[in-house]
Amino acid sequence: MGPFGIGKNGCRRRKPSKMAADLFRWGRTIVQVLGQTRLNPPVWPRNVCHAIKLLFVFIPHVLSFPMILTGEEIKAQLGKNIVIEPFDAAMLNPNSYNLCLHDELLVYEEIVLDVRRPNRYRRHVIPPEGFVLQPGQLYLGRTVERTETHNLVPMLEGRSSIGRLGLFVHVTAGFGDVGFCGYWTLELYAVHAIRIYPGLPICQIIYHTLVGEISEYRAGKYQNNQDIQPSLFFKELQSPQKDPQMRLAFGQEMAE
């Protein structure tokens, strides 16, 4: 076996796609021709030939790497693997789609948040004249758009113009799951006081391709949500409840 998992005969460890196999075959043919061609100087440099060979050997690997969809491909996938409701072509970027802020926010009321139980929160409406986010405070919002993603990985990121104002649109949770359906909850955190407005194009969704067998997110705690979702992490930490009712001996469950 040669370097990088490539055999001495140029074969790959896993079966390439038809396009990748064709490119590899064409590349190998070119290398063979170049290796037999006599130029001035008469001998083709061995290291250059080897470099070209490695280039074409790696093409199938490169083509199988996860990629990011372009804006045109996002548009082409609408109604197939991607659903964005409502969709506005003006929000389409070269390799992402802008999502807008809904007109409500949730703010936790607990002094200390507890991961093992639900935490109280208060709902705020963002008026047309705007709402000022205070630094050091976490605000939960959501997107106006509802999305569905199949056979792709959705990723949420802030827009550069929003980032330059010191506003984070998520704390750590940028990646979505393949198969996620619903509204995106935003974890808004401001570096300094900033006024925001309902309908603000605040973030962008990016789509990544996958490698390997796909198992979609179907029955998660945030699937098919209809509102801003506070943390439901406590559900993962709950132990199954034991039935406090004493069971009778077999055959005595029913009263005579």
Side-chain angles (χ1 to χ4, degrees):
M1 184 68 65
F4 308 105
I6 300 173
K8 294 181 180 179
N9 59 356
C11 295
R12 302 172 65 238
R13 282 181 174 175
R14 57 179 178 176
K15 185 178 180 181
S17 65
K18 185 178 184 303
M19 180 186 297
D22 289 342
L23 286 172
F24 170 70
R25 201 159 43 244
W26 297 336
R28 186 168 56 183
T29 301
I30 292 172
V31 169
Q32 290 172 351
V33 171
L34 291 176
Q36 297 170 2
T37 302
R38 292 187 174 276
L39 300 175
N40 188 17
V43 179
W44 184 262
R46 184 174 298 178
N47 58 340
V48 175
C49 185
H50 182 64
I52 294 176
K53 181 178 180 180
L54 283 178
L55 174 64
F56 283 101
V57 166
F58 278 122
I59 283 177
H61 288 276
V62 173
L63 290 177
S64 65
F65 285 168
M67 302 292 183
I68 294 177
L69 268 60
T70 65
E72 287 303 314
E73 184 60 23
I74 292 173
K75 188 175 180 180
Q77 291 290 334
L78 290 174
K80 302 172 186 176
N81 289 318
I82 296 175
V83 174
I84 302 175
E85 298 174 340
F87 177 82
D88 183 354
M91 294 293 179
L92 200 61
N93 300 317
N95 48 267
S96 65
Y97 181 88
N98 290 339
L99 300 179
C100 300
L101 179 66
H102 195 256
D103 65 354
E104 291 186 326
L105 298 171
L106 298 185
V107 178
Y108 289 115
E109 291 193 312
E110 308 287 356
I111 297 176
V112 177
L113 298 178
D114 192 335
V115 299
R116 300 190 66 177
R117 67 175 182 83
N119 294 280
R120 294 175 299 172
Y121 57 82
R122 177 175 296 180
R123 189 178 296 268
H124 297 269
V125 175
I126 305 175
E129 60 270 19
F131 183 94
V132 178
L133 304 182
Q134 298 297 331
Q137 174 70 59
L138 176 67
Y139 300 85
L140 298 181
R142 76 164 174 89
T143 59
V144 170
E145 297 83 0
R146 178 185 179 276
T147 72
E148 291 186 20
T149 309
H150 305 283
N151 301 309
L152 297 165
V153 175
M155 182 177 178
L156 198 72
E157 283 294 348
R159 301 183 61 202
S160 62
S161 296
I162 297 295
R164 294 171 194 185
L165 293 171
L167 179 61
F168 293 87
V169 299
H170 68 77
V171 178
T172 57
F175 266 106
D177 290 305
V178 56
F180 171 72
C181 303
Y183 298 93
W184 289 80
T185 292
L186 306 175
E187 303 136 7
L188 302 174
Y189 188 87
V191 174
H192 51 74
I194 180 174
R195 187 181 299 274
I196 59 173
Y197 301 88
L200 182 71
I202 196 168
C203 59
Q204 56 187 327
I205 188 170
I206 303 165
Y207 295 96
H208 296 254
T209 59
L210 294 123
V211 173
E213 185 176 351
I214 295 174
S215 178
E216 290 201 345
Y217 177 84
R218 296 186 184 278
K221 52 188 178 293
Y222 302 117
Q223 183 74 321
N224 293 312
N225 66 75
Q226 298 296 319
D227 196 3
I228 304 169
Q229 296 288 292
S231 176
L232 301 179
F233 185 51
F234 65 90
K235 290 187 175 183
E236 298 181 27
L237 305 178
Q238 291 176 342
S239 57
Q241 295 287 333
K242 293 184 179 180
D243 188 355
Q245 178 66 45
M246 181 180 294
R247 305 296 295 173
L248 300 176
F250 178 75
Q252 298 181 14
E253 290 89 348
M254 301 295 291
E256 295 181 359

